[in-house]
Amino acid sequence: MLTLGIETTCDETACAIVRNGREILANVVSSQIDLHAEYGGVVPELACRRHLELLIPVIQQALNQAEVRLEEINLISVAQGPGLIGALLIGLNAAKALSLALDIPYIGVDHVEAHLYAAWMSHSEPISFPCLGVVLSGGHTSLMTIPKLGQSQIVSQTVDDAIGEAFDKVAKILGLPYPGGPHIEQLASQGDSAKFKFSSGRVKESPLDFSFSGLKTAVLYACKDLQLSYKEKTDIAASFQKVAFQDVVNKCMKVSEMNGYTHLLFGGGVTNNQKLREMFKHSAPQLTCVWPALGLSLDNAAMIAGLGYQKYIEKGQGDNLHLEPYTRINKC
Ligand code: KG4
Ligand code: ZN
């Protein structure tokens, strides 16, 4: 069964063709990084215009790469949310139009659950469910109980900035380009993480939730009015990164211990970070960490196609044409 996946939740226009939920025949991602770089973050109106221009060429490119004709596609899968409302509408309407024109089913999937499916897709060993889903991206920081693939219940999330957003903002403070995560990782690899005493954010009333805005402000104050040397910048990056990641590691260990989870499924752009992977290996060797493969951690449509296939097989039918997008993670 061939599934065509469409992803337009934020600033990537992506289309993928996946066979039987796992075998990726094409995975085309057109990033809008250049468009948004000068603003230091995503400008929704510009993102929507760019999706409109790019979506059809990107679909065409995926079909060409997979050497598949549109008429051979059996299912359309699309990211229904969470994301930017205008961007979601473009993807969802394209999926509905293709479904009508080709007379094939279409299905909406959750972008965050798809990030976790990307890790599952990258892994050949069986996973013991229920497990812990850990989504660390530019838009989300969530720990989720995963009873089975394609289902999730939020355990905790950020009350302010997402972790990737904090990386992007700290990068901006240090004069690094957008998106800042990979630049912070690179800079941090040369620094001393014990030089600056930052501390992680605490959410009193719900201690498993995350808060990164205080940490980001602490970095801002550490840099304020100082002409930082390159060495100092590396130390700030390393100290910030260590504190942010230790907070994630500690909370994941706590939730796993409380619930007896042995497997962790990771998703989102921040999980590209090698230091994060190292810290889990070092601090939690008893847990099996399942990371997304290269090309599947950042936003992509292969994960959307894969999860859509799974859901379709389970439900035995697609969605009707009244499906609406949702902008927030709790589906409101
Ligand atoms: O998953 P993603 O493509 O988009 C969202 O769904 O938000 O994640 C993008 C985020 C950006 O904030 C970027 O700075 C961060 O992932 N990121 C990283 C790394 N690579 C990407 N953060 C830390 N270390 C990295 N190596
Ligand atoms: Zn994402």
Side-chain angles (χ1 to χ4, degrees):
M1 183 157 170
L2 292 176
T3 306
L4 183 146
I6 296 175
E7 155 65 38
T8 60
T9 57
C10 188
D11 62 338
E12 263 91 28
T13 316
C15 177
I17 318 281
V18 173
R19 183 180 281 136
N20 296 337
R22 240 184 139 116
E23 190 192 340
I24 300 171
L25 305 186
N27 187 16
V28 178
V29 182
S30 177
S31 166
Q32 305 180 359
I33 284 176
D34 296 350
L35 181 68
H36 303 286
E38 66 174 295
Y39 306 101
V42 177
V43 184
E45 177 67 16
L46 295 181
C48 291
R49 288 181 193 195
R50 189 56 72 87
H51 283 309
L52 276 176
E53 287 164 17
L54 289 177
L55 188 54
I56 289 173
V58 162
I59 292 173
Q60 194 57 59
Q61 199 182 335
L63 290 164
N64 292 346
Q65 245 177 47
E67 297 183 12
V68 163
R69 284 177 298 114
L70 202 48
E71 298 73 37
E72 292 175 89
I73 298 293
N74 308 107
L75 173 70
I76 308 289
S77 177
V78 61
Q80 188 190 351
L84 303 171
I85 188 67
L88 289 167
L89 278 167
I90 292 165
L92 196 55
N93 282 312
K96 289 177 181 177
L98 281 170
S99 159
L100 269 177
L102 298 168
D103 196 21
I104 57 172
Y106 90 102
I107 197 155
V109 302
D110 185 89
H111 173 89
V112 176
E113 285 173 3
H115 267 304
L116 300 177
Y117 185 89
W120 183 83
M121 258 178 128
S122 313
H123 190 73
S124 49
E125 305 293 318
I127 288 173
S128 149
F129 290 101
C131 68
L132 183 67
V134 185
V135 179
L136 306 172
S137 74
H140 310 285
T141 310
S142 312
L143 304 189
M144 305 153 105
T145 295
I146 311 296
K148 59 187 220 175
L149 270 185
Q151 281 186 7
S152 62
Q153 289 128 27
I154 300 273
V155 174
S156 69
Q157 53 189 326
T158 179
V159 296
D160 41 54
D161 292 348
I163 185 166
E165 193 181 350
F167 268 77
D168 295 338
K169 287 177 177 168
V170 166
K172 196 171 177 188
I173 295 168
L174 293 175
L176 299 168
Y178 171 85
H183 300 282
I184 295 278
E185 177 176 12
Q186 212 275 330
L187 203 61
S189 68
Q190 306 158 59
D192 176 355
S193 62
K195 265 278 155 60
F196 286 80
K197 303 276 175 259
F198 298 131
S199 48
S200 57
R202 289 220 183 94
V203 186
K204 252 201 204 139
E205 54 288 1
S206 74
L208 291 172
D209 276 344
F210 296 91
S211 166
F212 292 105
S213 81
L215 175 58
K216 169 202 68 192
T217 308
V219 172
L220 181 66
Y221 280 118
C223 299
K224 220 175 166 204
D225 307 326
L226 289 180
Q227 282 293 354
L228 294 175
S229 67
Y230 183 77
K231 177 74 184 88
E232 284 165 326
K233 284 187 180 182
T234 64
D235 292 340
I236 287 181
S239 306
F240 157 77
Q241 180 176 266
K242 177 84 185 286
V243 168
F245 286 166
Q246 197 61 57
D247 191 29
V248 174
V249 172
N250 292 347
K251 285 171 182 161
C252 287
M253 283 171 65
K254 204 170 275 176
V255 175
S256 301
E257 207 178 295
M258 277 162 44
N259 296 283
Y261 299 146
T262 55
H263 284 68
L264 269 61
L265 277 182
F266 286 88
V270 179
T271 67
N272 257 343
N273 191 298
Q274 294 306 311
K275 185 71 190 172
L276 175 73
R277 298 185 182 207
E278 226 174 74
M279 284 173 68
F280 268 97
K281 213 179 200 172
H282 181 258
S283 305
Q286 73 281 15
L287 296 172
T288 305
C289 293
V290 181
W291 302 97
L294 205 71
L296 293 183
S297 56
L298 294 166
D299 286 350
N300 67 86
M303 65 185 192
I304 304 294
L307 182 57
Y309 165 83
Q310 288 288 337
K311 288 202 128 173
Y312 180 76
I313 294 294
E314 217 163 276
K315 276 173 55 172
Q317 61 181 35
D319 285 315
N320 69 40
L321 288 172
H322 300 298
L323 201 69
E324 296 281 350
Y326 52 86
T327 56
R328 295 169 67 92
I329 197 163
N330 53 5
K331 308 192 181 184
C332 57

